[in-house]
Amino acid sequence: MRVLDFTRREPSLHLQPGGFVTEAGETNPAAIGATMRLSRYFLPILKETPREAEIVSHRLALRAGLIRQESAGIYAWLPLGLRVLNKICAVIREEQNRSGAVELLMPTIQSADLWRESGRYDAYGKEMLRITDRADREMLYGPTNEEMITEIFRGYVRSYKALPLNLYHLQWKFRDEVRPRFGTMRSREFLMKDAYSFDLDKESARHAYNRMFVAYLRTFDRLGLKSIPMRADTGPIGGDLSHEFIILASTGESQVFCHKDYLDFPVPGADTDFDSVEGLSTIVSKWTSLYAATEEMHDQAGFDAIPEASRVSARGIEVGHIFYFGTKYSEPMKAVVAGPDGVERPVHMGSYGIGPSRLVPAVIEASHDEAGIIWPDAIAPFDAAILNLKPGDSATDRVSGEIFEALRTRGLDALIDDTDERPGGKFATADLIGLPWQIIVGPKGLADGKVELKRRATGERMTLTPAEAVERIAG
RNA sequence: CGGGGUAUAGCGCAGCCUGGUAGCGCGGUAGUUUUGGGUACUACAGGUCGCAGGUUCGAAUCCUGCUACCCCGACCA
């Protein structure tokens, strides 16, 4: 029997320095609603490993019921996976907003004419999915949005007084990869946060770049990842203003080399002043002071200069990429602003990408064991699993519900396993889907008024009263 | 885009070589049993054998064409 509960207060939005957050400080917009009972949920877990899945994150994403492949490189997000994706997006939004970026939303479908202006329509190649509408107009499914954001910008902004400006959006994109693989790690359709900065000159653009640099350090840290900014190829623009943010994972797709000290660098706090040119510049200098490079940019001599004990040679996954490209688009597309001197000049731009749909497998790669996923607290689809070992038993039913409500009051989401599966199966499922906490509510423990609390990441178990367990999780 | 594979029940697979109208495990349903780390047993349901053509009395099986998907490489967030 499904019990709907509409008594929970709706979170009200109000503006805080860091942007929009909900009343309880929740980052998950999906966290509202009825008591979450597994028997009423949609969690199609797989006991056996699907044949197509090669790497661990793909296997676990399929087994834990996060995603389902619909075509090569195209995936449906199942409820559990969607919750993770939404939580990742929420963290990204908060950090983008904190850094001063402003969210908008651009369409997935774009006009070919727009891309002809920048000259990229012919240059982009077969990766671009080209389509025609009923009037035979040439359209495309956007692989990125530099042209469109430049078009929007030039339509409104004429003066340097509107600068600096950084506009971002979270939108699905499509790149017709020759070989999509590894689940959503490298899919053809993918979700992307891309931000675009507009500044009067290169010096201001560098500060815009630094804002994103620091925002990215904070974002990945909040997602439970150790990210390392690595020099990336700047192509024809040149300069040092392009970095890939790499996380280390043994199954990573590319070889990376860096100084060990990066792993212990303190991440800038929430109180960082993003308007301080000096402050951000200091942080970025520190984070770019030591050797760090992907295979493509690797300089063996530079790496060898590091003391041997401090050399890290590992596999990495690219989870973010920031880029200053100057007037590459503003010039051909005539996005110009008047400076204080009254002279019009093309704006200096940068673009800054993070792939949330790629971060899901990236996090799994970085955080799992033989039994399944281990979600970091910040992006776990639910904060805790309540394993009712004997549904139908009045005591276990009651205590499970009470714990759920107590957690909800503390702003935490739990998923109650009220299925009639055997205890062993419930333990296996809970380990597989990787919620940070498991609260095991069984007749044996309740005879002493106790439940068992298990921390998924460490395997640590504690026998506690229900109230103590809630306190331990929420506190 | 080059090379190599695969396609049979929701999932994982066998059957194909040597043509005779489809089977196993898991999962599902019903029941008995069990009850703190994927319990055991019984019964039942579920498949135009990727699609199209051909050979044959007869094709999952042999032949031809097509499609989809996977792996390695090159390429990319």
Side-chain angles (χ1 to χ4, degrees):
Chain A
M1 187 67 191
R2 182 174 215 161
V3 182
L4 292 174
D5 176 1
F6 296 108
T7 59
R8 189 177 193 204
R9 85 278 179 264
E10 294 289 313
S12 65
L13 294 172
H14 57 271
L15 191 56
Q16 293 193 339
F20 289 95
V21 294
T22 58
E23 208 174 89
E26 276 172 355
T27 52
N28 180 10
I32 309 153
T35 301
M36 282 298 184
R37 299 178 191 284
L38 188 52
S39 63
R40 304 278 76 216
Y41 199 56
F42 184 64
L43 181 66
I45 64 152
L46 269 31
K47 257 185 170 176
E48 287 174 280
T49 304
R51 188 175 40 160
E52 73 265 22
E54 196 66 13
I55 63 168
V56 65
S57 62
H58 191 192
R59 285 204 301 268
L60 289 174
L62 290 168
R63 288 196 55 215
L66 267 40
I67 57 171
R68 176 180 177 82
Q69 180 171 330
E70 292 299 336
S71 287
I74 299 179
Y75 291 82
W77 289 81
L78 303 179
L80 202 70
L82 179 61
R83 289 182 72 101
V84 177
L85 192 61
N86 281 339
K87 285 206 165 187
I88 289 175
C89 290
V91 170
I92 291 172
R93 276 198 176 89
E94 288 178 9
E95 294 304 326
Q96 290 292 293
N97 294 346
R98 189 193 309 281
S99 78
V102 179
E103 186 174 8
L104 47 58
L105 182 60
M106 291 176 270
T108 55
I109 305 293
Q110 307 184 24
S111 149
D113 288 343
L114 196 51
W115 284 67
R116 291 207 171 90
E117 281 195 53
S118 69
R120 282 212 292 181
Y121 190 68
D122 296 322
Y124 216 91
K126 298 187 86 171
E127 261 199 359
M128 180 187 277
L129 180 63
R130 295 154 206 258
I131 48 186
T132 50
D133 68 10
R134 64 199 299 163
D136 234 22
R137 281 181 289 247
E138 293 174 280
M139 313 293 283
L140 56 98
Y141 195 125
T144 179
N145 286 67
E146 278 85 4
E147 283 80 359
M148 187 172 283
I149 198 72
T150 305
E151 190 278 328
I152 291 172
F153 177 90
R154 77 179 175 192
Y156 300 108
V157 181
R158 314 297 306 174
S159 160
Y160 76 97
K161 290 180 182 171
L163 305 182
L165 183 63
N166 186 322
L167 299 171
Y168 77 96
H169 79 337
L170 280 141
Q171 179 62 288
W172 292 93
K173 298 192 167 25
F174 195 94
R175 289 182 194 169
D176 200 355
E177 298 275 351
V178 266
R179 195 182 158 210
R181 62 183 121 175
F182 304 148
T184 62
M185 181 79 82
R186 184 153 160 213
S187 49
R188 294 196 292 170
E189 187 185 50
F190 58 98
L191 186 59
M192 179 98 157
K193 185 287 300 181
D194 40 327
Y196 302 92
S197 65
F198 302 88
D199 287 276
L200 190 60
D201 52 39
K202 186 170 182 187
E203 273 323 289
S204 334
R206 176 180 289 271
H207 182 232
Y209 183 91
N210 288 348
R211 284 182 201 253
M212 284 293 117
F213 190 106
V214 173
Y216 275 33
L217 289 176
R218 286 193 43 76
T219 301
F220 297 126
D221 181 60
R222 284 187 60 189
L223 297 178
L225 299 170
K226 274 198 186 305
S227 71
I228 302 165
M230 301 194 178
R231 278 278 298 279
D233 191 1
T234 50
I237 304 294
D240 59 347
L241 290 182
S242 180
H243 287 87
E244 292 179 1
F245 285 74
I246 304 281
I247 63 163
L248 303 184
S250 58
T251 48
E253 53 191 339
S254 52
Q255 189 69 29
V256 298
F257 308 86
C258 71
H259 196 291
K260 186 162 159 274
D261 287 2
Y262 273 121
L263 299 171
D264 298 317
F265 273 12
V267 171
D271 57 350
T272 301
D273 180 2
F274 281 85
D275 289 329
S276 166
V277 173
E278 187 65 34
L280 293 196
S281 173
T282 304
I283 295 171
V284 172
S285 295
K286 178 178 170 67
W287 278 88
T288 53
S289 59
L290 301 174
Y291 188 85
T294 58
E295 209 161 19
E296 306 80 60
M297 297 290 288
H298 185 51
D299 162 34
Q300 190 62 43
F303 189 58
D304 288 343
I306 304 172
E308 190 159 357
S310 295
R311 288 179 209 159
V312 174
S313 170
R315 304 297 292 179
I317 301 171
E318 181 184 351
V319 290
H321 196 162
I322 61 177
F323 203 91
Y324 163 78
F325 50 73
T327 59
K328 181 177 177 185
Y329 300 97
S330 56
E331 214 157 338
M333 295 185 67
K334 302 189 172 49
V336 297
V337 293
D341 53 6
V343 178
E344 289 192 333
R345 61 203 81 184
V347 285
H348 286 247
M349 297 173 58
S351 71
Y352 315 89
I354 295 181
S357 55
R358 159 176 270 205
L359 273 166
V360 173
V363 168
I364 298 174
E365 289 292 334
S367 183
H368 68 272
D369 62 18
E370 308 73 41
I373 301 168
I374 303 171
W375 290 117
D377 293 335
I379 58 169
F382 293 91
D383 300 299
I386 300 169
L387 308 192
N388 182 348
L389 293 191
K390 196 173 182 184
D393 177 283
S394 60
T396 63
D397 284 356
R398 178 176 52 77
V399 172
S400 296
E402 286 171 359
I403 293 172
F404 181 93
E405 288 303 331
L407 287 171
R408 169 184 272 181
T409 304
R410 306 291 292 263
L412 296 172
D413 282 324
L415 179 66
I416 300 181
D417 187 345
D418 63 334
T419 62
D420 55 13
E421 198 175 1
R422 297 176 49 79
K426 295 192 181 196
F427 296 135
T429 298
D431 284 347
L432 175 62
I433 66 174
L435 306 185
W437 298 95
Q438 295 169 18
I439 304 152
I440 297 144
V441 183
K444 284 186 185 172
L446 286 189
D448 297 327
K450 298 288 178 62
V451 297
E452 189 180 354
L453 179 65
K454 175 180 164 182
R455 180 70 169 161
R456 175 65 179 90
T458 60
E460 183 192 2
R461 296 153 187 276
M462 292 154 275
T463 302
L464 303 167
T465 65
E468 288 167 342
V470 169
E471 194 52 41
R472 184 79 176 72
I473 295 171

